[in-house]
Amino acid sequence: GAVVSQHPSRVICKSGTSVKIECRSLDFQATTMFWYRQFPKKSLMLMATSNEGSKATYEQGVEKDKFLINHASLTLSTLTVTSAHPEDSSFYICSAGWREGHYEQYFGPGTRLTVT
Amino acid sequence: AQTVTQSQPEMSVQEAETVTLSCTYDTSESDYYLFWYKQPPSRQMILVIRQEAYKQQNATENRFSVNFQKAAKSFSLKISDSQLGDAAMYFCAYRSALGGKLIFGQGTELSVKP
């Protein structure tokens, strides 16, 4: 149990376009979802925390207008990178947890974004 | 604010041997969780072991065990009988007992030599 999926696993987009990454909890209702960014051989950097039905809480230094996060249902959160630039190229990971599960976080497999 | 520090960027171990990865943390909270995650080349984060701060007994999962020293704020991971499949990045992480975000250390890259 507690499976989290991400789609797509890899995406290449042109500079200036927007790209959406989906994070789904497949067998539980995720009251909270987290979005991370990871550079090669580096740790996970938390970008934002989203609770179902409310606005995401962004970490300091993360542009909320550039990285749009929506958590419209208990099983789906989306991260949209707007007007992507090459410096946005990275590995994006989501995790999900729920109150009754003591907020244990389960991680998706990640999405590799390349902006050309 | 809570912090997690992993002072070993890289570690190496011979297959079948034992290795210990270090982690220290800082917090003013009394109740929290500590975790070790493994990230293999696939980059899927895998939970290795979890420790609840109020439990004095060190957590164990098969070949993986921790040495949790609450007063010293230390949380090391011991891998016994190392296998080639243990080669990965290992992250130590902290989370408040009330929930919320995970705070990760910098990671330790473990290589296993045959």
Side-chain angles (χ1 to χ4, degrees):
Chain A
V3 178
V4 176
S5 70
Q6 271 183 253
H7 178 80
S9 57
R10 290 174 179 268
V11 59
I12 300 172
C13 70
K14 292 188 184 297
S15 188
T17 63
S18 296
V19 61
K20 181 184 287 188
I21 302 170
E22 292 186 347
C23 177
R24 291 181 185 273
S25 56
L26 299 184
D27 51 4
F28 65 98
Q29 293 186 319
T31 48
T32 307
M33 285 185 168
F34 302 85
W35 287 95
Y36 297 87
R37 183 173 181 176
Q38 187 181 31
F39 292 103
K41 304 245 182 206
K42 296 293 184 184
S43 189
L44 281 70
M45 182 188 80
L46 180 67
M47 299 175 67
T49 302
S50 73
N51 293 300
E52 186 266 340
S54 60
K55 288 185 178 181
T57 301
Y58 289 80
E59 294 297 301
Q60 194 171 8
V62 177
E63 299 176 63
K64 62 179 69 176
D65 294 329
K66 181 165 189 61
F67 298 99
L68 300 178
I69 291 170
N70 183 277
H71 190 169
S73 78
L74 284 170
T75 59
L76 173 65
S77 177
T78 59
L79 167 66
T80 302
V81 183
T82 62
S83 186
H85 291 285
E87 56 265 31
D88 299 325
S89 298
S90 192
F91 192 69
Y92 293 88
I93 305 174
C94 74
S95 70
W98 75 101
R99 201 174 295 115
E100 290 73 19
H102 303 289
Y103 299 104
E104 189 72 54
Q105 286 189 34
Y106 297 90
F107 286 84
T111 296
R112 157 86 53 210
L113 169 63
T114 303
V115 185
T116 60
Chain B
Q2 296 85 15
T3 60
V4 177
T5 302
Q6 292 177 252
S7 58
Q8 305 156 317
E10 299 175 350
M11 290 284 284
S12 180
V13 64
Q14 204 72 34
E15 194 176 7
E17 297 295 308
T18 295
V19 65
T20 299
L21 308 184
S22 301
C23 173
T24 58
Y25 61 95
D26 192 26
T27 184
S28 58
E29 296 180 324
S30 59
D31 200 11
Y32 48 86
Y33 293 89
L34 295 166
F35 305 85
W36 278 98
Y37 285 92
K38 171 184 178 181
Q39 189 180 40
S42 68
R43 303 190 79 170
Q44 171 73 60
M45 294 288 283
I46 300 166
L47 177 64
V48 175
I49 202 162
R50 175 201 303 109
Q51 176 77 44
E52 293 151 341
Y54 67 87
K55 289 187 177 179
Q56 292 186 337
Q57 188 172 8
N58 289 324
T60 299
E61 287 289 341
N62 300 315
R63 298 182 295 107
F64 299 87
S65 62
V66 298
N67 183 4
F68 173 48
Q69 300 290 325
K70 191 172 184 180
K73 294 179 181 173
S74 170
F75 182 62
S76 61
L77 175 69
K78 185 171 85 171
I79 305 174
S80 304
D81 185 27
S82 297
Q83 301 175 359
L84 295 177
D86 294 334
M89 281 288 285
Y90 285 82
F91 293 101
C92 178
Y94 170 103
R95 199 198 79 214
S96 170
L98 299 175
K101 60 186 179 183
L102 284 166
I103 299 168
F104 286 94
Q106 301 90 329
T108 297
E109 185 171 15
L110 177 67
S111 59
V112 181
K113 297 179 180 179

